[in-house]
Amino acid sequence: MEDTALSRSSGSRKRQREPDSGDSDQSLSLEDNLTFSDTMVALRIMRAQFPHIEKVSIQPFVLQSQLYSSVKDRTQVDRELESLKREKALRVFKLNTGQDDHAIMLIDDYLSQRMEEKKQDDLPVFEWFKTHVISSKLDPSIGHDELCSLLSLGGKVKEEHVSLLINAGLLTRQLIDPNMYWFAIPNVGPVLKGLSQGRKELLSLLNRRKFKEMMMATLEKKRLRLSPLDMRFHLRDLIGSGHLRTVEAPSGLIVKVAKD
């Protein structure tokens, strides 16, 4: 956001060499760890900070809105995401939250999640999907005919193969056009429910305050009842989406509800 100082980004460069040092990153306050020099630095550090969610097997992902909160220039974020997507370093997913939400997952995380499903790896369609579809189709969506054409590079495709991919959580049908699919993150359902509920809970918390604001250092320590995601995850999201904004004060950063 415009109100957020970018002077802290210089410290992020040092952490770029150790992007997966989750323990040290977890101990940093959001106020001292809010902005970064470029998209990949932000992506790797926020990946390391992805909250552990009990009983849900899911690889870390970062919301596009969170990147917008962490790199001042949104055009730079969009440009660098497009470049990283072409380099096949990551995948972008359209989320089924009822809003224009997109998640970014590093390609290594995405592929490793599939390999954990040993039973599925025994079925050839999953190898066809990994080898011929994921490697060549970079967009968040794919049509039925194109999907079958790419899968057929691995073997004879049947409708039941597509059903297997849907049931595994790798694809979801688009409601508007049933012949189009979104690429999906397996096991993401409970996380998306928590994302929507946590957004409402955090906004409600701030709206009940007299001036609809709170010190970030205080707010970050609070726990949300309705979301398995932590406060830092939600703050980055709502700042980046424009629902919240930050203001510099002598005592530290203030988080305010953005005016309509």
Side-chain angles (χ1 to χ4, degrees), residues 20-34:
D20 293 325
S21 54
D23 293 339
S24 60
D25 284 335
Q26 289 288 359
S27 65
L28 293 168
S29 71
L30 181 56
E31 184 169 347
D32 294 327
N33 196 33
L34 185 60

Side-chain angles (χ1 to χ4, degrees), residues 4 24 48 82 97 112 141 146 150 200 218 242 253:
T4 306
S24 60
E82 192 62 33
T97 56
S112 69
S141 63
E146 184 179 8
L150 290 172
K200 293 176 184 177
T218 302
L253 276 183

